[in-house]
Amino acid sequence: MTLLNNPRTRRRRLGVGAAAAGLLAALLTAAPAGATPDPGDSPAAPKSVSKSDADGTKKAIQRGDIPAPDEIVHSGNIEHLANIPKDALPGLNTDIAFQGKYAFAGNYDGFRIYDISNPKAPRTVSQVLCPGSQNDVSVAGNLLFLSTDSSRSDNSCNSTTQPATEKSSWEGMKIFDISDKANPRYVSAVETACGSHTHTLVPQKRNVYIYVSSYSPSATFPDCRPPHDGISVIKVPRKAPQKAAVVNFPVLFPGEGPDGGGNPGGPTNPGVSKTTGCHDLTVLPSEDLAAGACMGDGILFSIKDPENPRVIDQVQDNANFAFWHSATFNQKADKVVFTDELGGGSAATCNAATGPDRGANGIYDIKGKGDKRKLVFRSYFKIPRHQADTENCVAHNGSLIPVRGKDLMVQAWYQGGVSVWDFTDSRKPKEIGYFERGPLTTDQITTGGSWSAYYYNGRVYSNDIQKGLDVLKINDKRTDPAQRVRMRELNVQTQPDYFD
């Protein structure tokens, strides 16, 4: 692991702490000082578009229908406070977590820690080079958790890409000690079946449970064979994180045959992803509930026993949903917003041709009590601003804006920017604010835009894939009460009770 505090003036190794002995010493070997990110962890190169699509983008800019490349536009109630460009980590920016005055931003090449005590001028505290897509990040106390979902030669931060067909390849969770934010220390790693695309924390007093989401098994992968219809549950003792281990693999989609009981996808359901695991889970510990976005299925389950989650309800939308991507509860736990990542996040799906119901959010009411609760579809929500055919755009990661009696949310839409919207009436959602940039390019689709946009302690933090960290302020009487709600720690996929 290489710590890159100031890449322009120094690069130094992170030493192994005295507490890391024996086996851990081998796991904590630092990368060479001149280490560079592994290109094997980066998504595909930009895709060219047709001449007519390129011309259409240019004409839309000329007409003023969309902003020009890199031009920033926003609604009158959104204020752009700051942008901090990418620095030592050139990979794609990913998810964000928060603790006190710090933001922890994932990147395909590692993670970056910001001091956000002054939201108008965030300051980089440290940058850690540890390649392994997507590097989704979360924090609990002095521990930071990092997802690795690319096949690696080993579990160290100086590993290289290696085919998943090789038995020795590694994917899973990495754990860091962040008691010193300027010097994060790699503590341990846990291998999980099919890696860790995303993960979700279920914090307890003595232990932190991690629900690991992964998918796309293959008979040729020794450590990721079908069926793969569940999640890995890791137990991490807070005082001994080096003892972290997988304690269960609950099957969420039981069924006969080699593919289990999830959505079969095409050709049975054309255009729908076959369920071979989950993409992302959100837990609401105050209600012992979790919602799973699992490729072709949406699920609601109980986490009263965190080691043994139980499915309560399972729904599909084979008309408009292609890939169930993520989930957000409202505070009263009587609604769930599921997102559809149509096109995998690398396609232009916020255009007129795609329409308002595909690549959108699906809003579901939760009806009933206990194990008889059901998910009931109410409506779709999609940003009302058409994007260019060269802009990757689809519903992505967002969070609640904590206002009593209202269901408000801020959400990332890749190159569709950041949307603030209201789903208090689950049948009539509406946008109330937005922030976006013009297309990265006018002749090809280049992956970019806001990956995650989250509300934390009065501000919105957006991790833009290419442009870096944006800080926004919402000036609106509908969201103003949220500025009084202060959190000590926030992992959005572990939804807090904001008013407890």
Side-chain angles (χ1 to χ4, degrees), residues 287-290 299-305 308-314 333 366-375:
E287 300 290 337
D288 290 327
L289 280 178
I299 59 173
L300 183 69
F301 55 98
S302 167
I303 58 168
K304 285 184 179 179
D305 178 354
N308 298 282
R310 292 183 301 102
V311 174
I312 296 172
D313 194 25
Q314 175 182 350
I366 301 175
K367 295 295 186 180
K369 296 181 179 180
D371 287 354
K372 295 188 180 297
R373 282 172 285 193
K374 297 292 183 181
L375 293 165

PDB file of all heavy atoms in Angstrom, residues 287-290 299-305 308-314 333 366-375:
ATOM      1  N   GLU A 287     -35.313  -0.312  12.320  1.00  0.00           N
ATOM      2  CA  GLU A 287     -36.525  -1.082  12.030  1.00  0.00           C
ATOM      3  C   GLU A 287     -36.217  -2.552  11.750  1.00  0.00           C
ATOM      4  O   GLU A 287     -37.121  -3.311  11.379  1.00  0.00           O
ATOM      5  CB  GLU A 287     -37.246  -0.473  10.817  1.00  0.00           C
ATOM      6  CG  GLU A 287     -37.689   0.962  10.994  1.00  0.00           C
ATOM      7  CD  GLU A 287     -38.825   1.106  11.985  1.00  0.00           C
ATOM      8  OE1 GLU A 287     -39.561   0.118  12.215  1.00  0.00           O
ATOM      9  OE2 GLU A 287     -38.977   2.212  12.560  1.00  0.00           O
ATOM     10  N   ASP A 288     -34.948  -2.949  11.902  1.00  0.00           N
ATOM     11  CA  ASP A 288     -34.521  -4.329  11.604  1.00  0.00           C
ATOM     12  C   ASP A 288     -34.907  -4.748  10.196  1.00  0.00           C
ATOM     13  O   ASP A 288     -35.299  -5.887   9.942  1.00  0.00           O
ATOM     14  CB  ASP A 288     -35.116  -5.322  12.620  1.00  0.00           C
ATOM     15  CG  ASP A 288     -34.516  -5.173  14.007  1.00  0.00           C
ATOM     16  OD1 ASP A 288     -33.330  -4.829  14.091  1.00  0.00           O
ATOM     17  OD2 ASP A 288     -35.245  -5.390  14.994  1.00  0.00           O
ATOM     18  N   LEU A 289     -34.790  -3.816   9.254  1.00  0.00           N
ATOM     19  CA  LEU A 289     -35.167  -4.074   7.872  1.00  0.00           C
ATOM     20  C   LEU A 289     -33.982  -3.862   6.936  1.00  0.00           C
ATOM     21  O   LEU A 289     -33.050  -3.102   7.231  1.00  0.00           O
ATOM     22  CB  LEU A 289     -36.292  -3.131   7.430  1.00  0.00           C
ATOM     23  CG  LEU A 289     -37.727  -3.458   7.825  1.00  0.00           C
ATOM     24  CD1 LEU A 289     -38.650  -2.361   7.316  1.00  0.00           C
ATOM     25  CD2 LEU A 289     -38.156  -4.817   7.282  1.00  0.00           C
ATOM     26  N   ALA A 290     -34.054  -4.539   5.797  1.00  0.00           N
ATOM     27  CA  ALA A 290     -33.115  -4.300   4.712  1.00  0.00           C
ATOM     28  C   ALA A 290     -33.862  -4.392   3.395  1.00  0.00           C
ATOM     29  O   ALA A 290     -34.871  -5.094   3.281  1.00  0.00           O
ATOM     30  CB  ALA A 290     -31.972  -5.301   4.741  1.00  0.00           C
ATOM     31  N   ILE A 299     -35.941  -6.976  -3.154  1.00  0.00           N
ATOM     32  CA  ILE A 299     -36.369  -7.763  -1.994  1.00  0.00           C
ATOM     33  C   ILE A 299     -36.430  -6.904  -0.747  1.00  0.00           C
ATOM     34  O   ILE A 299     -35.743  -5.887  -0.616  1.00  0.00           O
ATOM     35  CB  ILE A 299     -35.453  -8.981  -1.727  1.00  0.00           C
ATOM     36  CG1 ILE A 299     -34.005  -8.549  -1.482  1.00  0.00           C
ATOM     37  CG2 ILE A 299     -35.539  -9.983  -2.865  1.00  0.00           C
ATOM     38  CD1 ILE A 299     -33.095  -9.693  -1.058  1.00  0.00           C
ATOM     39  N   LEU A 300     -37.279  -7.330   0.170  1.00  0.00           N
ATOM     40  CA  LEU A 300     -37.390  -6.751   1.499  1.00  0.00           C
ATOM     41  C   LEU A 300     -37.107  -7.875   2.482  1.00  0.00           C
ATOM     42  O   LEU A 300     -37.661  -8.971   2.347  1.00  0.00           O
ATOM     43  CB  LEU A 300     -38.802  -6.205   1.715  1.00  0.00           C
ATOM     44  CG  LEU A 300     -39.092  -5.482   3.041  1.00  0.00           C
ATOM     45  CD1 LEU A 300     -38.359  -4.154   3.098  1.00  0.00           C
ATOM     46  CD2 LEU A 300     -40.600  -5.269   3.203  1.00  0.00           C
ATOM     47  N   PHE A 301     -36.201  -7.654   3.444  1.00  0.00           N
ATOM     48  CA  PHE A 301     -35.938  -8.730   4.385  1.00  0.00           C
ATOM     49  C   PHE A 301     -35.668  -8.227   5.791  1.00  0.00           C
ATOM     50  O   PHE A 301     -35.359  -7.049   6.015  1.00  0.00           O
ATOM     51  CB  PHE A 301     -34.840  -9.678   3.898  1.00  0.00           C
ATOM     52  CG  PHE A 301     -33.514  -9.069   3.530  1.00  0.00           C
ATOM     53  CD1 PHE A 301     -32.454  -9.068   4.404  1.00  0.00           C
ATOM     54  CD2 PHE A 301     -33.309  -8.565   2.254  1.00  0.00           C
ATOM     55  CE1 PHE A 301     -31.221  -8.567   4.044  1.00  0.00           C
ATOM     56  CE2 PHE A 301     -32.081  -8.061   1.873  1.00  0.00           C
ATOM     57  CZ  PHE A 301     -31.030  -8.056   2.786  1.00  0.00           C
ATOM     58  N   SER A 302     -35.821  -9.142   6.730  1.00  0.00           N
ATOM     59  CA  SER A 302     -35.617  -8.851   8.150  1.00  0.00           C
ATOM     60  C   SER A 302     -34.171  -9.113   8.528  1.00  0.00           C
ATOM     61  O   SER A 302     -33.576 -10.104   8.107  1.00  0.00           O
ATOM     62  CB  SER A 302     -36.525  -9.744   8.999  1.00  0.00           C
ATOM     63  OG  SER A 302     -36.142  -9.694  10.361  1.00  0.00           O
ATOM     64  N   ILE A 303     -33.593  -8.205   9.358  1.00  0.00           N
ATOM     65  CA  ILE A 303     -32.232  -8.403   9.848  1.00  0.00           C
ATOM     66  C   ILE A 303     -32.217  -8.428  11.384  1.00  0.00           C
ATOM     67  O   ILE A 303     -31.236  -8.032  12.007  1.00  0.00           O
ATOM     68  CB  ILE A 303     -31.271  -7.323   9.312  1.00  0.00           C
ATOM     69  CG1 ILE A 303     -31.746  -5.911   9.707  1.00  0.00           C
ATOM     70  CG2 ILE A 303     -31.127  -7.438   7.806  1.00  0.00           C
ATOM     71  CD1 ILE A 303     -30.703  -4.831   9.455  1.00  0.00           C
ATOM     72  N   LYS A 304     -33.326  -8.904  11.984  1.00  0.00           N
ATOM     73  CA  LYS A 304     -33.354  -9.025  13.443  1.00  0.00           C
ATOM     74  C   LYS A 304     -32.190  -9.862  13.935  1.00  0.00           C
ATOM     75  O   LYS A 304     -31.594  -9.580  14.973  1.00  0.00           O
ATOM     76  CB  LYS A 304     -34.687  -9.636  13.892  1.00  0.00           C
ATOM     77  CG  LYS A 304     -35.860  -8.683  13.825  1.00  0.00           C
ATOM     78  CD  LYS A 304     -37.120  -9.325  14.371  1.00  0.00           C
ATOM     79  CE  LYS A 304     -38.293  -8.347  14.328  1.00  0.00           C
ATOM     80  NZ  LYS A 304     -39.549  -8.961  14.849  1.00  0.00           N
ATOM     81  N   ASP A 305     -31.883 -10.911  13.210  1.00  0.00           N
ATOM     82  CA  ASP A 305     -30.689 -11.713  13.471  1.00  0.00           C
ATOM     83  C   ASP A 305     -29.708 -11.369  12.352  1.00  0.00           C
ATOM     84  O   ASP A 305     -29.843 -11.862  11.233  1.00  0.00           O
ATOM     85  CB  ASP A 305     -31.021 -13.199  13.448  1.00  0.00           C
ATOM     86  CG  ASP A 305     -29.793 -14.082  13.679  1.00  0.00           C
ATOM     87  OD1 ASP A 305     -28.670 -13.546  13.751  1.00  0.00           O
ATOM     88  OD2 ASP A 305     -29.987 -15.311  13.769  1.00  0.00           O
ATOM     89  N   ASN A 308     -28.316 -13.958  10.092  1.00  0.00           N
ATOM     90  CA  ASN A 308     -29.267 -14.791   9.360  1.00  0.00           C
ATOM     91  C   ASN A 308     -30.436 -13.952   8.831  1.00  0.00           C
ATOM     92  O   ASN A 308     -31.565 -14.089   9.303  1.00  0.00           O
ATOM     93  CB  ASN A 308     -29.787 -15.923  10.250  1.00  0.00           C
ATOM     94  CG  ASN A 308     -28.690 -16.857  10.714  1.00  0.00           C
ATOM     95  OD1 ASN A 308     -28.241 -17.719   9.965  1.00  0.00           O
ATOM     96  ND2 ASN A 308     -28.239 -16.675  11.960  1.00  0.00           N
ATOM     97  N   PRO A 309     -30.203 -13.080   7.862  1.00  0.00           N
ATOM     98  CA  PRO A 309     -31.304 -12.270   7.316  1.00  0.00           C
ATOM     99  C   PRO A 309     -32.341 -13.154   6.625  1.00  0.00           C
ATOM    100  O   PRO A 309     -32.005 -14.174   6.019  1.00  0.00           O
ATOM    101  CB  PRO A 309     -30.594 -11.353   6.318  1.00  0.00           C
ATOM    102  CG  PRO A 309     -29.327 -12.059   5.968  1.00  0.00           C
ATOM    103  CD  PRO A 309     -28.920 -12.802   7.192  1.00  0.00           C
ATOM    104  N   ARG A 310     -33.624 -12.741   6.726  1.00  0.00           N
ATOM    105  CA  ARG A 310     -34.736 -13.516   6.164  1.00  0.00           C
ATOM    106  C   ARG A 310     -35.532 -12.674   5.183  1.00  0.00           C
ATOM    107  O   ARG A 310     -35.933 -11.550   5.497  1.00  0.00           O
ATOM    108  CB  ARG A 310     -35.691 -13.985   7.274  1.00  0.00           C
ATOM    109  CG  ARG A 310     -35.138 -15.022   8.226  1.00  0.00           C
ATOM    110  CD  ARG A 310     -36.209 -15.462   9.221  1.00  0.00           C
ATOM    111  NE  ARG A 310     -36.728 -14.362  10.024  1.00  0.00           N
ATOM    112  CZ  ARG A 310     -37.889 -13.759   9.799  1.00  0.00           C
ATOM    113  NH1 ARG A 310     -38.667 -14.129   8.793  1.00  0.00           N
ATOM    114  NH2 ARG A 310     -38.280 -12.780  10.591  1.00  0.00           N
ATOM    115  N   VAL A 311     -35.782 -13.202   4.002  1.00  0.00           N
ATOM    116  CA  VAL A 311     -36.558 -12.486   2.993  1.00  0.00           C
ATOM    117  C   VAL A 311     -38.026 -12.442   3.386  1.00  0.00           C
ATOM    118  O   VAL A 311     -38.615 -13.463   3.759  1.00  0.00           O
ATOM    119  CB  VAL A 311     -36.406 -13.151   1.614  1.00  0.00           C
ATOM    120  CG1 VAL A 311     -37.337 -12.490   0.597  1.00  0.00           C
ATOM    121  CG2 VAL A 311     -34.961 -13.064   1.138  1.00  0.00           C
ATOM    122  N   ILE A 312     -38.619 -11.244   3.326  1.00  0.00           N
ATOM    123  CA  ILE A 312     -40.046 -11.033   3.617  1.00  0.00           C
ATOM    124  C   ILE A 312     -40.848 -10.954   2.329  1.00  0.00           C
ATOM    125  O   ILE A 312     -41.932 -11.515   2.221  1.00  0.00           O
ATOM    126  CB  ILE A 312     -40.237  -9.744   4.444  1.00  0.00           C
ATOM    127  CG1 ILE A 312     -39.568  -9.875   5.806  1.00  0.00           C
ATOM    128  CG2 ILE A 312     -41.721  -9.428   4.618  1.00  0.00           C
ATOM    129  CD1 ILE A 312     -39.558  -8.573   6.604  1.00  0.00           C
ATOM    130  N   ASP A 313     -40.318 -10.222   1.335  1.00  0.00           N
ATOM    131  CA  ASP A 313     -41.047 -10.077   0.082  1.00  0.00           C
ATOM    132  C   ASP A 313     -40.057  -9.927  -1.061  1.00  0.00           C
ATOM    133  O   ASP A 313     -38.916  -9.474  -0.876  1.00  0.00           O
ATOM    134  CB  ASP A 313     -41.983  -8.869   0.136  1.00  0.00           C
ATOM    135  CG  ASP A 313     -43.011  -8.865  -0.995  1.00  0.00           C
ATOM    136  OD1 ASP A 313     -43.316  -9.963  -1.506  1.00  0.00           O
ATOM    137  OD2 ASP A 313     -43.504  -7.782  -1.349  1.00  0.00           O
ATOM    138  N   GLN A 314     -40.498 -10.314  -2.247  1.00  0.00           N
ATOM    139  CA  GLN A 314     -39.688 -10.287  -3.452  1.00  0.00           C
ATOM    140  C   GLN A 314     -40.550  -9.779  -4.604  1.00  0.00           C
ATOM    141  O   GLN A 314     -41.664 -10.257  -4.797  1.00  0.00           O
ATOM    142  CB  GLN A 314     -39.173 -11.697  -3.757  1.00  0.00           C
ATOM    143  CG  GLN A 314     -38.406 -11.851  -5.050  1.00  0.00           C
ATOM    144  CD  GLN A 314     -37.987 -13.304  -5.289  1.00  0.00           C
ATOM    145  OE1 GLN A 314     -38.109 -14.158  -4.406  1.00  0.00           O
ATOM    146  NE2 GLN A 314     -37.490 -13.582  -6.483  1.00  0.00           N
ATOM    147  N   ALA A 333     -40.100   4.181   7.122  1.00  0.00           N
ATOM    148  CA  ALA A 333     -40.007   2.792   6.675  1.00  0.00           C
ATOM    149  C   ALA A 333     -41.311   2.288   6.079  1.00  0.00           C
ATOM    150  O   ALA A 333     -41.653   1.114   6.220  1.00  0.00           O
ATOM    151  CB  ALA A 333     -39.557   1.878   7.820  1.00  0.00           C
ATOM    152  N   ILE A 366     -44.543   0.266   1.383  1.00  0.00           N
ATOM    153  CA  ILE A 366     -44.483  -0.970   2.174  1.00  0.00           C
ATOM    154  C   ILE A 366     -45.794  -1.087   2.928  1.00  0.00           C
ATOM    155  O   ILE A 366     -46.116  -0.244   3.771  1.00  0.00           O
ATOM    156  CB  ILE A 366     -43.300  -0.954   3.153  1.00  0.00           C
ATOM    157  CG1 ILE A 366     -41.976  -0.789   2.399  1.00  0.00           C
ATOM    158  CG2 ILE A 366     -43.279  -2.224   3.997  1.00  0.00           C
ATOM    159  CD1 ILE A 366     -40.764  -0.635   3.298  1.00  0.00           C
ATOM    160  N   LYS A 367     -46.543  -2.124   2.633  1.00  0.00           N
ATOM    161  CA  LYS A 367     -47.859  -2.328   3.226  1.00  0.00           C
ATOM    162  C   LYS A 367     -47.839  -3.558   4.138  1.00  0.00           C
ATOM    163  O   LYS A 367     -47.172  -4.542   3.850  1.00  0.00           O
ATOM    164  CB  LYS A 367     -48.917  -2.508   2.139  1.00  0.00           C
ATOM    165  CG  LYS A 367     -49.131  -1.271   1.268  1.00  0.00           C
ATOM    166  CD  LYS A 367     -49.697  -0.111   2.080  1.00  0.00           C
ATOM    167  CE  LYS A 367     -50.046   1.068   1.205  1.00  0.00           C
ATOM    168  NZ  LYS A 367     -50.593   2.199   2.001  1.00  0.00           N
ATOM    169  N   GLY A 368     -48.614  -3.475   5.233  1.00  0.00           N
ATOM    170  CA  GLY A 368     -48.704  -4.593   6.159  1.00  0.00           C
ATOM    171  C   GLY A 368     -47.733  -4.473   7.314  1.00  0.00           C
ATOM    172  O   GLY A 368     -47.032  -3.465   7.468  1.00  0.00           O
ATOM    173  N   LYS A 369     -47.680  -5.532   8.119  1.00  0.00           N
ATOM    174  CA  LYS A 369     -46.835  -5.525   9.308  1.00  0.00           C
ATOM    175  C   LYS A 369     -46.029  -6.822   9.390  1.00  0.00           C
ATOM    176  O   LYS A 369     -46.443  -7.860   8.872  1.00  0.00           O
ATOM    177  CB  LYS A 369     -47.676  -5.358  10.572  1.00  0.00           C
ATOM    178  CG  LYS A 369     -48.410  -4.023  10.666  1.00  0.00           C
ATOM    179  CD  LYS A 369     -49.197  -3.918  11.966  1.00  0.00           C
ATOM    180  CE  LYS A 369     -49.917  -2.580  12.074  1.00  0.00           C
ATOM    181  NZ  LYS A 369     -50.685  -2.461  13.345  1.00  0.00           N
ATOM    182  N   GLY A 370     -44.899  -6.718  10.085  1.00  0.00           N
ATOM    183  CA  GLY A 370     -44.093  -7.902  10.346  1.00  0.00           C
ATOM    184  C   GLY A 370     -43.714  -8.650   9.083  1.00  0.00           C
ATOM    185  O   GLY A 370     -43.407  -8.050   8.047  1.00  0.00           O
ATOM    186  N   ASP A 371     -43.761  -9.968   9.147  1.00  0.00           N
ATOM    187  CA  ASP A 371     -43.366 -10.794   8.018  1.00  0.00           C
ATOM    188  C   ASP A 371     -44.390 -10.803   6.891  1.00  0.00           C
ATOM    189  O   ASP A 371     -44.167 -11.418   5.845  1.00  0.00           O
ATOM    190  CB  ASP A 371     -43.112 -12.238   8.481  1.00  0.00           C
ATOM    191  CG  ASP A 371     -41.825 -12.359   9.277  1.00  0.00           C
ATOM    192  OD1 ASP A 371     -41.086 -11.353   9.364  1.00  0.00           O
ATOM    193  OD2 ASP A 371     -41.548 -13.452   9.807  1.00  0.00           O
ATOM    194  N   LYS A 372     -45.515 -10.113   7.090  1.00  0.00           N
ATOM    195  CA  LYS A 372     -46.539 -10.049   6.051  1.00  0.00           C
ATOM    196  C   LYS A 372     -46.438  -8.752   5.237  1.00  0.00           C
ATOM    197  O   LYS A 372     -47.302  -8.464   4.413  1.00  0.00           O
ATOM    198  CB  LYS A 372     -47.940 -10.176   6.667  1.00  0.00           C
ATOM    199  CG  LYS A 372     -48.191 -11.534   7.317  1.00  0.00           C
ATOM    200  CD  LYS A 372     -49.635 -11.687   7.739  1.00  0.00           C
ATOM    201  CE  LYS A 372     -49.869 -13.043   8.394  1.00  0.00           C
ATOM    202  NZ  LYS A 372     -49.611 -14.169   7.454  1.00  0.00           N
ATOM    203  N   ARG A 373     -45.388  -7.968   5.483  1.00  0.00           N
ATOM    204  CA  ARG A 373     -45.214  -6.738   4.728  1.00  0.00           C
ATOM    205  C   ARG A 373     -44.965  -7.025   3.247  1.00  0.00           C
ATOM    206  O   ARG A 373     -44.284  -7.991   2.888  1.00  0.00           O
ATOM    207  CB  ARG A 373     -44.062  -5.919   5.313  1.00  0.00           C
ATOM    208  CG  ARG A 373     -44.449  -5.161   6.572  1.00  0.00           C
ATOM    209  CD  ARG A 373     -43.270  -4.510   7.250  1.00  0.00           C
ATOM    210  NE  ARG A 373     -42.450  -5.503   7.953  1.00  0.00           N
ATOM    211  CZ  ARG A 373     -41.508  -5.198   8.833  1.00  0.00           C
ATOM    212  NH1 ARG A 373     -41.274  -3.915   9.121  1.00  0.00           N
ATOM    213  NH2 ARG A 373     -40.815  -6.134   9.433  1.00  0.00           N
ATOM    214  N   LYS A 374     -45.516  -6.154   2.405  1.00  0.00           N
ATOM    215  CA  LYS A 374     -45.399  -6.304   0.969  1.00  0.00           C
ATOM    216  C   LYS A 374     -44.928  -5.001   0.323  1.00  0.00           C
ATOM    217  O   LYS A 374     -45.264  -3.909   0.779  1.00  0.00           O
ATOM    218  CB  LYS A 374     -46.749  -6.702   0.350  1.00  0.00           C
ATOM    219  CG  LYS A 374     -47.292  -8.047   0.808  1.00  0.00           C
ATOM    220  CD  LYS A 374     -46.435  -9.195   0.278  1.00  0.00           C
ATOM    221  CE  LYS A 374     -47.008 -10.542   0.676  1.00  0.00           C
ATOM    222  NZ  LYS A 374     -46.148 -11.664   0.183  1.00  0.00           N
ATOM    223  N   LEU A 375     -44.172  -5.148  -0.763  1.00  0.00           N
ATOM    224  CA  LEU A 375     -43.759  -4.005  -1.576  1.00  0.00           C
ATOM    225  C   LEU A 375     -44.793  -3.775  -2.655  1.00  0.00           C
ATOM    226  O   LEU A 375     -45.099  -4.679  -3.448  1.00  0.00           O
ATOM    227  CB  LEU A 375     -42.393  -4.284  -2.208  1.00  0.00           C
ATOM    228  CG  LEU A 375     -41.210  -4.377  -1.242  1.00  0.00           C
ATOM    229  CD1 LEU A 375     -40.008  -5.020  -1.930  1.00  0.00           C
ATOM    230  CD2 LEU A 375     -40.844  -3.002  -0.709  1.00  0.00           C
TER     231      LEU A 375
END
